Amino acid sequence: MSREQLTKIILPEDKTPRFWYNVQADMPNLPEPGLNPQTKQPLAPADLEPIFARELIAQEVSTERFIEIPAEVQELYRQFRPSPLFRARQLEKALDTPCRIYYKYEGSSPVGSHKLNSALPQVFFNKVQGIKRLTTETGAGQWGTALSLACKQFGLEAMIYMVKISFTQKPYRRSIMELYGGKCVASPSTLTESGRSELAKDPNTPGSLAMAISEAIEDALQREDTNYSLGSVLNHVCIHQSIIGQEARLQLEMVDDYPDIVIGCCGGGSNFAGIAFPFVPDKLAGRNIRLIGVEPAACPTLTKGVFAYDFSDTSGLTPIMKMYTLGHNFTPSGIHAGGLRFHGESPLVSQLYHDGLLEAVAVKQNATFAAAMIFAQTESIVPAPESAHAIRTAIDEALQAKEEGVSKTILFNLSGHGHLDLYSYDRYLSGEMEDIEFSEEDLQESLKSLPQI
Amino acid sequence: MSREQLTKIILPEDKTPRFWYNVQADMPNLPEPGLNPQTKQPLAPADLEPIFARELIAQEVSTERFIEIPAEVQELYRQFRPSPLFRARQLEKALDTPCRIYYKYEGSSPVGSHKLNSALPQVFFNKVQGIKRLTTETGAGQWGTALSLACKQFGLEAMIYMVKISFTQKPYRRSIMELYGGKCVASPSTLTESGRSELAKDPNTPGSLAMAISEAIEDALQREDTNYSLGSVLNHVCIHQSIIGQEARLQLEMVDDYPDIVIGCCGGGSNFAGIAFPFVPDKLAGRNIRLIGVEPAACPTLTKGVFAYDFSDTSGLTPIMKMYTLGHNFTPSGIHAGGLRFHGESPLVSQLYHDGLLEAVAVKQNATFAAAMIFAQTESIVPAPESAHAIRTAIDEALQAKEEGVSKTILFNLSGHGHLDLYSYDRYLSGEMEDIEFSEEDLQESLKSLPQI
């Protein structure tokens, strides 16, 4: 079918990529090495072995361009991959824009988001190494849900530390994790030293991803049979998510198109990396393509943070990484896009942004939900609040192009559906949503917590 | 690919049926004619025109085997159709059954259920006739959600009367309807005479589908620009849903398979009709195939009701139809599968059941959720409580076949996902779910309300 007829573009299963793409093979500058949190010396693989599977550590520093997806993972991918690419015809009509807008829809996975793309291989590589149990943190609950399911599928236990404010506000996120067999507690919890220490400081803390990471790592360090798993930020997660952009690229080829602009929402960076990294080689080769990460104005890591060595958690248990950061003591305000409430940023995204290969914008909460409403009422899918950040910028770019009288091809990642986030829409519809201002003072205070290297 | 390799079977878009299948062309006995609620004489099309679009009335009595799907509806179907057919390999493994189990997944539509299949054409046929506003009732909220979205897509207003107990228990169902632009009130409401009269009788009534239907019809009768829309029961709805079974049949052909057993959950009958009716001609031609509708033990219309003329609503505004019924005064207990809480049954399903072409079983709530848990933990998708009824019977049949040492091909309709029903899973996981007993006394009392014909 021609480009003008197709709405939903389905990649034939036999064209599905069998390899992940690793941007480390093509970067002009690799990220600075991670540092051991105690010695502050460059990390050796052995430093990571107490908490990560060896194959994942190898991927972390690999410069192989393509990494084969294990057959066991491919088999499970097949249930929800390739994911559909949609031409947003109704949205285009509503905006009256000359642009062609496409979205890659990752909400069609059984957990409703892109997170399963990395949960499955992470659990698999741990399983082959004999690990019986994985710990992790979760913010909005998307990652915890994906890890619970992946653990159930490979027969491992999942232990999830969920940021307290989300645990309280979103009880059904916990239900779905438990339904998949995972165990989920509010973080900070009394189960770990890190948690108890945070609770002693402030018994009413809403928690943060950084605190929950501390708890999950501490738990994993206690038990031989237990490793830790992270749903974003790290290089191996970006590698796994590359399946998104690789598929999208092939799907656009099917309709003889290619993007001028590629957009993803950006918290830890994994879904933005997933859609954008497979296009980096083209940009390096001189192709005119813009790759834009969209973050919440309340947690503007790339647009307002500093490029510095920092921890990913509050207790200083994680490796120290060179990344854009608001400081690991920064507690992002309680915006509805819980998955984007993270002070740091993927080192790969950070380096590429620093080198001018990626762009970033920050958008406010009400403008984001306004975009989500336009999208839902035209394209029918209710987007997750996180994904709505990408929609906001896609709409802004399409309107900008219209004003300039040019037609552009815009591709964005619709990383998940919002059927578990209707509480947030309720707030928006009843006019009770606030645009929380970002505080420069808080930032300056938090940046004092950066480790001295 | 061979049958043994494929997990997800995708029908190529150009093979998608362009026609709905109408079982009225093939039934050995057509249903008895509907009766005018006032005169109790056979309905003339003109009797229905105050509330239904003419094309839908024509479909109601059509005996054409195939009815063309309008291009405008096909275009919108294309976003979510053809829906995937899955081979349930993980479930088969867990049950250790020699059977092949397939499920047609309708939860991949943007509203998360099969209801959009009929909402789109219903709104379309009303629009071409100049109707500006549609009223309807909704139980669990699936139908109201689909109608809201369809109205938004064609530019009509949607007014939804939602059964009060669901309105209270499931606030997010209301959010999603409003997000799509629909207006939603708890029923009984004070907006209609029917509603006020029910509230006068019992201000604390949980409401019922039958009451909500009365309100929606009364509203539609008040305004020239307004029609009424029903999400199940009627012949035209069963016709629209036939797309499900037609696609499934073609998808099974792609892997050279054919079902011995076809299963759907059964409330008003539309999703069961959708998956089962396209196989009726084969059964009539002597093929050995079983078509099983699964209802809740708390609302066992086919298995314990009577085959008689009855109203679909409490106030006696609907046509009187010959169907299996528990009596229109029967208030089903508040089970979690709200979409199956209906005293009556599609006249087409009823007649075919009466003639021995369809079977029915009733299953209890806890056994149903137990099946849902097995399914979620193997096949990854969290099923809607309604759809879980079909899963329960699919599992029972697969285990029965295993005991008998035979291999069967089982096809069931997974009519929706359960991401908006996690409250119910929470109750099940915490051991607080009850198996409400069906009361023969209540039934006998309710049957006294059958109209004298």
Side-chain angles (χ1 to χ4, degrees):
Chain A
M1 270 199 189
S2 81
R3 176 159 80 192
E4 294 318 312
Q5 289 176 289
L6 270 181
T7 297
K8 180 170 62 173
I9 304 155
I10 299 290
L11 193 66
E13 197 169 272
D14 57 6
K15 293 264 189 298
T16 306
R18 304 288 178 231
F19 295 82
W20 291 303
Y21 168 69
N22 177 13
V23 79
Q24 292 175 96
D26 295 310
M27 294 170 77
N29 301 299
L30 284 171
E32 304 273 339
L35 306 180
N36 181 303
Q38 275 100 45
T39 65
K40 298 186 180 167
Q41 294 304 305
L43 277 176
D47 293 337
L48 296 172
E49 288 192 4
I51 54 170
F52 288 117
R54 282 184 294 273
E55 176 60 30
L56 297 172
I57 298 170
Q59 290 177 9
E60 209 51 26
V61 293
S62 168
T63 52
E64 291 292 315
R65 183 166 288 112
F66 293 103
I67 296 174
E68 190 169 5
I69 306 173
E72 293 84 347
V73 173
Q74 284 190 43
E75 191 188 326
L76 292 170
Y77 270 5
R78 230 171 264 150
Q79 195 205 13
F80 59 100
R81 306 216 70 84
S83 69
L85 180 78
F86 288 99
R87 169 86 182 268
R89 290 187 189 282
Q90 309 294 326
L91 176 63
E92 291 171 17
K93 237 182 272 178
L95 301 176
D96 188 26
T97 172
C99 295
R100 287 190 297 278
I101 306 176
Y102 298 89
Y103 55 98
K104 180 73 170 162
Y105 184 40
E106 293 292 310
S108 55
S109 93
V111 294
S113 83
H114 67 294
K115 293 292 189 184
L116 206 51
N117 298 334
S118 187
L120 289 169
Q122 287 195 43
V123 177
F124 172 75
F125 289 123
N126 275 288
K127 182 197 168 88
V128 296
Q129 199 179 305
I131 292 295
K132 307 287 184 216
R133 179 172 173 271
L134 286 175
T135 66
T136 197
E137 72 292 326
T138 198
Q142 299 270 25
W143 170 248
T145 305
L147 196 76
S148 279
L149 172 56
C151 279
K152 173 55 71 179
Q153 299 212 299
F154 285 113
L156 274 72
E157 275 178 59
M159 173 72 209
I160 296 133
Y161 294 87
M162 184 173 186
V163 176
K164 192 163 71 182
I165 188 171
S166 298
F167 186 90
T168 313
Q169 279 182 357
K170 304 185 175 185
Y172 302 141
R173 282 288 186 186
R174 178 171 43 84
S175 313
I176 194 168
M177 287 183 245
E178 289 179 353
L179 190 163
Y180 283 138
K183 187 172 172 197
C184 175
V185 296
S187 166
S189 77
T190 55
L191 300 180
T192 67
E193 191 47 50
S194 313
R196 289 187 293 270
S197 134
E198 293 290 348
L199 288 171
K201 273 190 267 176
D202 176 7
N204 298 317
T205 175
S208 72
L209 272 173
M211 289 180 205
I213 292 174
S214 289
E215 291 207 83
I217 292 182
E218 185 186 325
D219 178 330
L221 286 168
Q222 305 305 311
R223 287 174 57 168
E224 269 298 316
D225 68 349
T226 300
N227 265 349
Y228 163 72
S229 181
L230 185 60
S232 190
V233 180
L234 298 178
N235 304 357
H236 65 266
V237 184
C238 297
I239 290 172
H240 304 155
Q241 295 295 353
S242 69
I243 189 87
I244 302 172
Q246 289 192 90
E247 284 180 9
R249 197 192 163 101
L250 294 168
Q251 285 163 310
L252 285 173
E253 275 174 22
M254 286 172 66
V255 289
D256 195 24
D257 215 337
Y258 186 89
D260 298 299
I261 306 173
V262 177
I263 301 167
C265 67
C266 202
S270 79
N271 101 82
F272 175 48
I275 191 92
F277 283 4
F279 294 96
V280 165
D282 294 356
K283 190 165 175 82
L284 286 167
R287 188 132 192 180
N288 192 8
I289 178 172
R290 297 172 57 203
L291 310 171
I292 309 176
V294 190
E295 48 189 24
C299 189
T301 313
L302 290 170
T303 50
K304 301 227 172 159
V306 296
F307 190 43
Y309 268 111
D310 198 3
F311 294 103
S312 288
D313 70 326
T314 46
S315 298
L317 297 176
T318 63
I320 308 171
M321 293 184 297
K322 185 77 176 287
M323 60 181 175
Y324 279 84
T325 178
L326 302 166
H328 64 272
N329 276 352
F330 183 83
T331 302
S333 51
I335 52 168
H336 289 270
L340 305 182
R341 287 179 71 234
F342 183 59
H343 69 279
E345 183 59 64
S346 145
L348 293 178
V349 169
S350 294
Q351 186 66 49
L352 289 163
Y353 176 68
H354 190 69
D355 290 343
L357 291 161
L358 308 176
E359 301 172 40
V361 296
V363 296
K364 291 192 172 179
Q365 193 161 233
N366 274 295
T368 299
F369 275 84
M373 290 290 295
I374 295 170
F375 186 81
Q377 295 195 349
T378 52
E379 293 296 315
S380 308
I381 298 169
V382 180
E386 291 81 5
S387 319
H389 287 71
I391 298 174
R392 177 71 267 168
T393 296
I395 290 177
D396 291 344
E397 290 291 337
L399 293 175
Q400 176 72 21
K402 174 185 173 183
E403 210 168 288
E404 294 168 6
V406 294
S407 166
K408 290 189 175 162
T409 297
I410 298 171
L411 165 67
F412 71 88
N413 192 22
L414 186 64
S415 54
H417 70 58
H419 282 179
L420 286 161
D421 302 283
L422 291 170
Y423 165 80
S424 305
Y425 281 92
D426 232 15
R427 302 280 295 180
Y428 177 76
L429 287 167
S430 59
E432 290 165 33
M433 188 166 282
E434 286 173 23
D435 276 330
I436 301 153
E437 287 303 319
F438 175 75
S439 155
E440 290 284 349
E441 276 171 40
D442 286 358
L443 174 62
Q444 293 314 320
E445 186 57 35
S446 162
L447 288 178
K448 292 182 190 158
S449 68
L450 293 181
Q452 300 300 317
I453 305 299
Chain B
M1 271 198 188
S2 80
R3 174 160 81 193
E4 293 319 314
Q5 288 175 288
L6 271 180
T7 297
K8 179 169 63 174
I9 303 155
I10 300 290
L11 194 66
E13 198 169 271
D14 58 6
K15 294 264 189 299
T16 306
R18 305 287 179 231
F19 295 82
W20 292 302
Y21 168 70
N22 177 12
V23 78
Q24 293 175 96
D26 295 310
M27 293 170 77
N29 301 298
L30 284 171
E32 304 273 339
L35 306 179
N36 181 302
Q38 275 100 46
T39 65
K40 298 187 179 168
Q41 294 304 304
L43 278 176
D47 293 337
L48 296 172
E49 287 191 7
I51 54 169
F52 287 116
R54 284 185 291 276
E55 177 60 30
L56 297 172
I57 298 170
Q59 289 178 10
E60 210 49 27
V61 294
S62 167
T63 51
E64 290 293 315
R65 184 166 288 112
F66 293 103
I67 296 175
E68 190 170 5
I69 305 172
E72 293 85 346
V73 173
Q74 283 190 44
E75 191 189 327
L76 292 170
Y77 270 5
R78 230 171 265 150
Q79 195 204 15
F80 60 99
R81 309 216 67 86
S83 69
L85 179 77
F86 288 99
R87 168 88 182 267
R89 289 187 191 281
Q90 309 294 327
L91 176 62
E92 290 171 16
K93 238 183 270 177
L95 300 176
D96 188 26
T97 172
C99 295
R100 286 188 299 277
I101 306 176
Y102 298 89
Y103 55 97
K104 181 72 168 161
Y105 184 41
E106 293 292 309
S108 55
S109 94
V111 294
S113 82
H114 68 294
K115 292 292 189 185
L116 206 51
N117 298 333
S118 186
L120 289 169
Q122 287 196 42
V123 177
F124 171 76
F125 289 123
N126 275 287
K127 181 195 168 91
V128 294
Q129 201 179 304
I131 292 294
K132 306 287 184 216
R133 180 171 172 272
L134 286 175
T135 66
T136 197
E137 71 293 324
T138 197
Q142 298 271 26
W143 171 247
T145 305
L147 196 76
S148 278
L149 172 57
C151 279
K152 174 55 71 178
Q153 299 212 300
F154 285 113
L156 275 71
E157 274 179 61
M159 174 71 206
I160 297 133
Y161 294 88
M162 183 172 186
V163 175
K164 192 161 71 182
I165 188 172
S166 298
F167 187 89
T168 313
Q169 279 181 357
K170 305 185 176 186
Y172 301 141
R173 283 287 187 187
R174 177 171 45 83
S175 313
I176 194 168
M177 287 183 244
E178 289 179 354
L179 189 163
Y180 283 136
K183 188 172 173 197
C184 174
V185 297
S187 166
S189 76
T190 55
L191 300 179
T192 66
E193 190 48 50
S194 313
R196 288 188 293 271
S197 133
E198 292 290 348
L199 287 172
K201 273 191 266 174
D202 176 8
N204 299 317
T205 174
S208 71
L209 272 173
M211 290 179 203
I213 292 174
S214 288
E215 292 207 81
I217 293 181
E218 186 186 323
D219 178 331
L221 287 168
Q222 306 304 311
R223 288 175 55 168
E224 269 298 315
D225 68 349
T226 299
N227 264 348
Y228 163 72
S229 181
L230 185 61
S232 190
V233 181
L234 298 178
N235 303 358
H236 64 266
V237 185
C238 297
I239 289 172
H240 305 154
Q241 295 295 355
S242 70
I243 189 88
I244 302 172
Q246 288 192 90
E247 284 181 9
R249 197 190 163 102
L250 294 168
Q251 286 163 310
L252 285 173
E253 275 174 20
M254 285 172 66
V255 289
D256 195 25
D257 215 338
Y258 186 89
D260 299 298
I261 306 174
V262 178
I263 300 166
C265 67
C266 202
S270 79
N271 101 83
F272 175 48
I275 191 92
F277 284 4
F279 294 96
V280 165
D282 295 354
K283 192 166 173 79
L284 286 167
R287 187 131 191 182
N288 191 11
I289 178 172
R290 297 173 57 205
L291 309 172
I292 309 176
V294 189
E295 49 189 25
C299 189
T301 313
L302 290 170
T303 49
K304 300 228 172 157
V306 296
F307 190 42
Y309 269 111
D310 199 4
F311 294 102
S312 288
D313 70 326
T314 46
S315 297
L317 298 176
T318 63
I320 307 172
M321 294 185 297
K322 184 77 176 284
M323 60 182 175
Y324 278 83
T325 178
L326 301 166
H328 64 272
N329 275 352
F330 183 81
T331 301
S333 51
I335 52 167
H336 289 270
L340 307 182
R341 287 180 70 235
F342 183 59
H343 69 278
E345 183 59 63
S346 145
L348 292 179
V349 169
S350 294
Q351 185 67 49
L352 288 163
Y353 176 68
H354 190 69
D355 290 342
L357 290 161
L358 307 176
E359 302 172 39
V361 295
V363 296
K364 291 194 172 178
Q365 192 160 235
N366 274 297
T368 299
F369 274 83
M373 290 288 296
I374 294 170
F375 187 80
Q377 295 196 349
T378 52
E379 293 297 314
S380 308
I381 298 169
V382 181
E386 291 81 5
S387 319
H389 287 71
I391 298 174
R392 176 73 266 167
T393 296
I395 290 177
D396 290 344
E397 290 291 339
L399 292 176
Q400 175 73 21
K402 174 184 172 182
E403 209 168 290
E404 294 168 5
V406 293
S407 167
K408 290 188 175 164
T409 297
I410 298 171
L411 165 68
F412 72 88
N413 192 21
L414 186 64
S415 54
H417 71 57
H419 281 181
L420 286 161
D421 302 283
L422 291 171
Y423 166 80
S424 305
Y425 281 93
D426 232 13
R427 302 280 296 180
Y428 176 76
L429 287 167
S430 60
E432 289 165 34
M433 187 166 281
E434 285 172 23
D435 276 330
I436 301 152
E437 287 303 319
F438 175 76
S439 154
E440 290 285 349
E441 276 170 38
D442 287 358
L443 173 63
Q444 292 315 320
E445 186 58 34
S446 163
L447 288 178
K448 292 181 189 158
S449 68
L450 292 181
Q452 300 299 319
I453 306 300

